[in-house]
Amino acid sequence: MFMPVSRAIDQLNDKIAAAVSWALLLAVIICTGNALIRYAFNASSNAWLEIQWYLFAAVFMLASSHTLRRDEHVRIDVIVGRFSKRTQVWIDLLGFLLFLMPISLVILYYGVPFALESLRSGEMSSNAGGLIVWPAKILVPLGFILMVLQGLSEIIKRIAFLNGKLDASAFSKQVATPEEEIEAIKAANKMN
């Protein structure tokens, strides 16, 4: 019943992550251009530095939920990997309910007024030649709205798995095991 909601959230975060991935390329281009101009002509601007920070903030804040969706967030696989899949799913579910959702909601509670006040006041950077600040501050609530949505999607998927209605491949990281990675490294070393 809730799986269509989960799929819609997953698709939303996939599309946002694909779009925002271009911000990283743009940040690298701006950084490179700014460095070349600074060294070649001894000229620079705080605005160019700040736009790099804003672009990186956009990538980080708007793609973090996609990282959660792909199960690529930091975790303690060495310990948790020894448990059964069902126990791992229970650990994930408790982590989402006791840690991810509460802290995300607290950050949203404080982040929305923080961003709206910056927008209302037209806050500017204190750096000479700096940019307006509110676009960067709005990224905080936007990022955590996406995180809350993805958290709900992950909770839905874990509950569906525990009820036997979903295979774990729907939310598991599709990468090599540590043993497979070690074997790949050994094979690569033999070739050298």
Side-chain angles (χ1 to χ4, degrees), residues 4-5 14 16 32 46 48 57 77 82 87 89 92 95 101 112 118 120 131 149 170 185 187-188 190-192:
V5 173
D14 286 346
I16 289 171
T32 304
N46 283 330
W48 289 110
D77 287 338
R82 296 172 191 239
T87 301
V89 168
D92 283 350
M101 297 305 278
V112 169
S118 181
R120 186 193 60 71
L131 302 174
L149 288 173
I185 292 169
K190 287 180 183 177
M191 297 177 89
N192 292 332

Side-chain angles (χ1 to χ4, degrees), residues 105-123:
L105 292 170
V106 167
I107 291 171
L108 268 175
Y109 179 79
Y110 288 105
V112 169
F114 174 73
L116 291 177
E117 176 57 28
S118 181
L119 175 62
R120 186 193 60 71
S121 70
E123 184 178 2

Side-chain angles (χ1 to χ4, degrees), residues 7-136:
R7 280 191 290 276
I9 293 169
D10 290 351
Q11 289 173 354
L12 171 69
N13 277 316
D14 286 346
K15 287 178 183 176
I16 289 171
V20 81
S21 68
W22 290 100
L24 187 57
L25 175 62
L26 187 55
V28 169
I29 291 169
I30 290 170
C31 178
T32 304
N34 191 32
L36 291 173
I37 289 169
R38 187 173 60 245
Y39 290 114
F41 302 108
N42 199 26
S44 186
S45 165
N46 283 330
W48 289 110
L49 293 173
E50 288 182 10
I51 195 67
Q52 292 170 58
W53 302 335
Y54 289 13
L55 290 168
F56 179 74
V59 170
F60 182 81
M61 292 305 302
L62 301 178
S64 291
S65 52
H66 180 69
T67 303
L68 177 64
R69 175 195 157 5
R70 294 175 49 96
D71 195 32
E72 293 180 353
H73 53 288
V74 176
R75 55 186 316 138
I76 308 170
D77 287 338
V78 174
I79 297 169
V80 176
R82 296 172 191 239
F83 298 130
S84 71
K85 189 62 179 175
R86 191 165 183 81
T87 301
Q88 291 176 26
V89 168
W90 272 109
I91 291 169
D92 283 350
L93 190 56
L94 291 172
F96 295 144
L97 292 170
L98 298 176
F99 299 105
L100 177 72
M101 297 305 278
I103 195 64
S104 295
L105 292 170
V106 167
I107 291 171
L108 268 175
Y109 179 79
Y110 288 105
V112 169
F114 174 73
L116 291 177
E117 176 57 28
S118 181
L119 175 62
R120 186 193 60 71
S121 70
E123 184 178 2
M124 294 291 297
S125 170
S126 60
N127 295 321
L131 302 174
I132 53 175
V133 175
W134 61 263

